């Protein structure tokens, strides 16, 4: 027998290998194997098998198989094929994303030797002339319970050898135990809620359950205001799936949401719930993967890549906060969007898919209007909680009236924080920029201290008193004392990050208990979970953070949300910037007043009349979305067009520019509705030492309903020309349905 194998390389070619007789019964489409490729043994995926081959040369043999059971069922194999075609990525690279190369069902967790005393009164004469054994036996007796042999490493350099000697004499019992990877610290403590569903919740749940009962692909968009009880709907829907012998996947956009929601699901479904995200240790990932493959987990809660969980009989997929850009994989290929992959996997498995959010993506909002998704609505907050009162503070006017320029807190925000502290209530403060100050510049000539690898200003971090790049990680341990351009000593910090806001809060409210949550403090899931748990338990008065705290979190005592600068990111040159800011402001407002006590929101802005700020502050989703869709339609941007970004990058700026210009000049537009923008340097022209340019293709859905014309044009007119351009040292990659043009 012969097998066609795809390897995780950029080539679309597959390679023919001979199957050894010993593996004949194991080799089938979708099985991972190891085979010689060049001078290495490389992991690949069997994509086809044949009884004969036309190849006349000498064929290499497959070495062995990776897994001891088949992971890919028919539907996951179809998903790989679809992703390869849609995202224009070789099938081997797609397979590596769905089936990570370092994970295998053959994984065995580490084992450790355990020891305990065997008899209450030992016969000390057996070790009369063995002082080290006597010393160790005394230590074991003190423990009075089974414990790891490694704990006695300070008493002797070889505790296992000594324990074996004691075991041979019948003085201790030795045993080997499987060391299960530690999953503590990844979820909140169990939280049970007794719920009485409202009429609208019952209606929504009925429709979702009816979709599952039909055993047909049922795609929903669940538009529920913040605090409307969407998580409770998820739990009830998952219960329905389990009751009918099906499994479920629940996707979350941020790891920060995993501990709280993971804890809710663990409370409801116990050990049948598995967590999956990038912060897990390698051992825990391998152990979780093995248990997923063996069917131990019926529910998977996790971030983007959890959509590929190898669950059998999948009945439900929930994509929570489906509008989030973190569902998009930016690198490496395939540059997939987990929301769209969820819809395709749902169609392939006849599952129910729920895209849920208080602020749906414009694509989902448009698709439900086009009847491609079934619209479900939760218009009211659960339990009679009212939506918060929102106050917009014009910071320009505030500064003119007070005469205090550059202030961080408005008088109203300070007043409201003080009021909450007096009432023993909690506040959430959003500043969507970490560090202390985002810019260091020369007061004399205006020169900004930039990252040497990126065209990005270095951010000052007060905790380690250095400048850092938030893109490549470059770190300068000290601030320059003079301007590198004009030699002036007038170097100043400007702007504000979460560290500076925290410092000012501590000065202004010295008795307040403040917690900060951003990428600098949440260096592990355990630390993140501990911070959120402390706040949930009332051990802090103020939670300050970046957008990590703006979505999905549910705290009983929060009655105030303050947004320091709602304009951050508003004027970036990207067609989604307004949508993102609207969603961030709206979602942050939704963290407050979720129980009996009404909440308030303070939105500080220098652009109070901007439509994005105005409608977000008024909590008018439909009004803003109608305006945004009108703008998108006029400019032929998604969801009214198919979009593909072709990005060029390299260390030589001139070669990057030449490659992009050469490709663009070779392409002729032959169809109405197709636009080509660029080439142009990206907004962030240089990142991680590489210059970047982009060409953007837009094809109107009116003239190209399923995007086939654009896709065929790229395959026939663009892809064949890329190999010659790449030889000049320029990297080129496609981004299908990009979420950003930055």
């Amino acid at each position: 027998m012969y097998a066609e194998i795809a390897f995780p390389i950029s080539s679309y070619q597959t390679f023919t290998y001979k199957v050894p007789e010993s593996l004949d019964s194991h080799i089938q489409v979708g099985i991972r194997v190891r085979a010689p490729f060049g001078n290495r043994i490389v992991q690949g995926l069997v994509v086809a098998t044949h009884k004969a081959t036309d190849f006349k040369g000498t064929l290499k043999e497959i070495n062995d198989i990776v897994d001891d059971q088949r992971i890919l069922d028919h539907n996951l194999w179809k998903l790989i094929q679809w992703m390869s075609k849609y995202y224009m990525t070789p099938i081997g690279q797609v397979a590596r994303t769905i089936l990570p190369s370092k994970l295998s069902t053959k994984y065995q967790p580490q084992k450790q030797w355990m020891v305990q005393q065997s008899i209450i009164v030992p016969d000390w004469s057996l070790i009369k002339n063995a002082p080290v054994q006597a010393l160790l036996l005394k230590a074991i007796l003190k423990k009075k319970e089974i414990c790891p042999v490694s704990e006695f490493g300070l008493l002797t350099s070889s505790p296992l050898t000594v324990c074996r000697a004691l075991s041979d004499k019948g003085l201790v019992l030795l045993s080997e135990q499987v060391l299960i990877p530690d999953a503590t610290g990844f979820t909140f403590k169990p939280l049970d809620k007794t719920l009485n569903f409202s009429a609208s919740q019952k209606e929504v749940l009925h429709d979702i359950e009816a979709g599952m009962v039909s055993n047909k692909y049922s795609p929903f968009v669940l538009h529920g205001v913040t605090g409307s009880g969407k998580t409770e709907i998820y739990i009830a829907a998952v219960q329905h799936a389990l009751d009918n012998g099906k499994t479920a996947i629940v996707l979350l956009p941020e790891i920060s949401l995993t501990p709280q929601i993971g804890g809710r699901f663990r409370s409801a479904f116990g050990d049948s719930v598995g967590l999956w995200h990038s912060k897990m240790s390698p051992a825990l990932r391998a152990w979780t993967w093995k248990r997923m493959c063996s069917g131990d987990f019926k529910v998977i809660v996790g971030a983007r890549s959890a959509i590929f969980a190898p669950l059998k009989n999948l009945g439900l997929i929930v994509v929570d906060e489906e509008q989030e850009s973190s569902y998009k994989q930016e690198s490496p290929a395939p540059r997939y969007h987990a929301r769209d992959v969820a819809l395709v996997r749902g169609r392939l498995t006849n599952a129910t898919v729920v895209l849920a959010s208080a602020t749906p993506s414009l694509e989902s909002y448009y698709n439900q209007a086009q009847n491609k998704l079934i619209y479900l609505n939760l218009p009211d907050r659960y339990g009679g909680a009212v939506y918060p009162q929102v106050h917009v503070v014009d910071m320009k006017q505030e500064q003119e009236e007070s005469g205090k320029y550059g202030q961080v807190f408005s008088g109203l925000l300070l007043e409201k924080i003080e009021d909450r502290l007096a009432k023993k209530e909690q506040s959430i403060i959003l500043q969507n920029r970490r560090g202390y100050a985002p810019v260091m510049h020369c007061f004399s000539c205006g020169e900004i201290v930039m990252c040497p690898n990126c065209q990005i200003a270095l951010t000052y971090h007060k905790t380690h008193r250095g400048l850092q790049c938030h893109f490549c990680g470059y770190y300068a341990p000290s601030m320059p004392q003079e301007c590198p351009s004009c030699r002036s000593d007038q170097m100043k910090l400007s702007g504000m990050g979460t560290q500076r806001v925290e410092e000012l809060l501590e000065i202004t409210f010295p008795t307040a208990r403040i917690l900060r949550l951003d990428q600098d403090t949440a260096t592990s899931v355990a630390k993140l979970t501990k911070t959120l748990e402390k706040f949930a338990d009332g051990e802090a008065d103020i939670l300050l953070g970046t957008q990590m705290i703006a979505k999905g979190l549910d705290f009983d005592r929060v009655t105030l949300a303050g947004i320091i600068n709602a304009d951050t990111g508003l004027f970036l040159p990207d067609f989604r910037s307004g949508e993102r800011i609207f969603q961030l402001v709206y979602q942050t407002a939704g963290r407050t007043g979720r129980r009996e006590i009404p909440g308030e929101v303070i939105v500080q802005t220098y652009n109070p009349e901007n439509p994005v700020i105005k409608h977000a502050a008024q909590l008018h989703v439909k009004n803003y979305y109608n305006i945004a869709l009108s703008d998108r339609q006029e400019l032929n941007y998604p969801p009214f067009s198919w979009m593909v970004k072709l990005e060029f990058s390299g260390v030589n700026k001139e070669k990057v520019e030449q490659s992009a210009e050469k490709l663009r000049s070779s392409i002729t537009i032959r169809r109405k509705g197709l636009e080509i923008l660029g080439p142009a340097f990206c907004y962030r022209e240089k990142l991680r030492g590489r210059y970047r340019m982009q060409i953007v293709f837009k094809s109107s859905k009116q003239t190209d309903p399923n995007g086939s014309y654009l896709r065929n044009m790229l395959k026939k007119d663009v892809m064949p020309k890329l190999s010659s351009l790449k030889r000049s040292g320029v990297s080129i990659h496609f981004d299908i349905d990009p979420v950003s043009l930055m």
Side-chain angles (χ1 to χ4, degrees), residues 488-501:
S488 166
D489 62 355
Q490 297 298 305
M491 300 299 292
K492 305 290 183 184
L493 293 170
S494 62
M496 63 188 129
T498 48
Q499 290 180 5
R500 185 182 175 204
V501 175

Side-chain angles (χ1 to χ4, degrees), residues 434-438 459-462 493 495-500 503:
R434 64 188 177 103
Y436 186 84
T459 299
Y460 175 64
H461 284 250
K462 194 169 184 180
L493 293 170
M496 63 188 129
T498 48
Q499 290 180 5
R500 185 182 175 204
E503 181 181 83

Side-chain angles (χ1 to χ4, degrees), residues 167-345:
S167 176
D168 291 341
K169 295 171 181 176
L171 299 174
V172 300
L173 295 175
L174 265 178
S175 59
E176 200 173 14
Q177 291 186 2
V178 172
L179 191 61
I180 304 299
D182 183 18
T184 59
F186 285 86
T187 62
F188 274 25
K189 54 182 174 286
L191 175 63
D192 293 313
K193 285 188 176 183
T194 303
L195 293 169
N196 296 311
F197 283 136
S198 64
S200 58
Q201 284 179 313
K202 289 178 181 177
E203 186 178 343
V204 164
L205 187 57
H206 174 270
D207 289 344
I208 294 173
E209 290 178 347
M212 283 189 276
V213 169
S214 73
N215 289 317
K216 295 179 181 178
Y217 170 52
S218 303
F220 297 96
V221 58
L222 173 55
H223 182 194
V225 300
T226 55
S228 58
K230 293 188 289 295
T231 303
E232 284 67 40
I233 294 290
Y234 308 158
I235 291 173
V238 168
Q239 183 65 64
H240 186 272
L242 297 181
D243 290 343
N244 287 274
K246 297 183 179 181
T247 58
I249 296 173
V250 180
L251 298 184
L252 306 172
E254 298 273 1
I255 293 174
S256 61
L257 303 182
T258 308
Q260 193 173 56
I261 295 183
R264 293 289 310 281
F265 275 85
R266 280 276 175 85
S267 296
F269 308 113
D271 291 337
S272 65
V273 177
L275 301 181
W276 188 257
H277 52 73
S278 61
K279 293 290 187 181
M280 299 165 70
S281 68
L284 184 57
R285 281 176 69 83
W287 178 244
T288 302
W289 170 264
K290 182 181 175 74
R291 295 188 65 196
M292 273 197 283
C293 295
S294 62
D296 292 343
F297 293 130
K298 305 301 181 185
V299 184
I300 295 297
V301 178
R304 181 175 63 222
S305 61
I307 189 56
F308 305 122
L311 299 183
K312 304 297 188 292
N313 201 21
L314 185 61
L316 175 68
I317 303 174
V318 175
V319 185
D320 189 35
E321 305 293 355
E322 61 87 21
Q323 81 285 353
E324 282 300 307
S325 60
S326 56
Y327 282 124
K328 172 76 171 181
Q329 172 156 303
E330 298 288 357
S331 185
R335 293 170 176 82
Y336 69 91
H337 199 299
R339 177 194 63 216
D340 301 333
V341 174
L343 290 168
V344 175
R345 187 170 185 188

Side-chain angles (χ1 to χ4, degrees), residues 443-622:
F443 197 71
S444 298
C445 71
E447 179 82 7
I448 295 174
V449 180
M450 306 289 283
C451 171
N453 305 318
C454 308
Q455 196 181 32
I456 302 293
L458 291 175
T459 299
Y460 175 64
H461 284 250
K462 194 169 184 180
T463 49
H464 46 64
R465 299 190 177 278
L467 297 168
Q468 186 176 352
C469 175
H470 290 169
F471 284 87
C472 73
Y474 171 83
Y475 174 64
S478 60
M479 296 190 298
Q481 298 303 307
E482 62 176 31
C483 174
S485 180
C486 71
R487 301 302 175 189
S488 166
D489 62 355
Q490 297 298 305
M491 300 299 292
K492 305 290 183 184
L493 293 170
S494 62
M496 63 188 129
T498 48
Q499 290 180 5
R500 185 182 175 204
V501 175
E502 180 182 35
E503 181 181 83
L504 292 173
L505 283 171
E506 289 171 344
I507 293 170
T508 309
F509 305 104
T511 61
R513 299 167 298 170
I514 301 167
L515 292 173
R516 174 165 59 88
L517 192 60
D518 52 30
Q519 287 187 29
D520 298 317
T521 59
T523 52
S524 68
V525 175
K527 288 184 178 179
L528 185 152
T529 303
K530 186 176 181 180
T531 299
L532 292 176
E533 274 199 316
K534 285 178 68 175
F535 191 68
D537 291 341
E539 295 179 33
D541 306 303
I542 300 171
L543 178 63
L544 163 69
T546 55
Q547 62 179 350
M548 295 173 73
I549 66 170
K551 299 172 284 287
L553 298 174
D554 185 8
F555 299 110
D556 293 351
R557 303 177 183 87
V558 173
T559 59
L560 176 67
I563 301 174
I564 298 296
N565 186 358
D567 308 329
T568 302
L570 182 60
F571 299 108
L572 290 173
D574 186 80
F575 72 102
R576 296 187 196 272
S577 59
E579 179 187 1
R580 289 195 190 100
I581 298 306
F582 175 89
Q583 291 165 345
L584 184 62
V585 173
Y586 187 102
Q587 293 276 359
T588 304
R591 296 313 104 208
T592 181
R594 298 169 71 95
R595 299 295 182 270
E596 296 80 10
I597 305 174
E600 287 185 278
V601 184
I602 311 298
V603 179
Q604 298 184 167
T605 175
Y606 290 87
N607 299 275
E609 296 304 314
N610 185 287
V612 175
I613 303 297
K614 201 169 184 178
H615 288 291
Q618 293 169 350
L619 307 177
H620 286 168
V621 174
K622 291 185 177 180

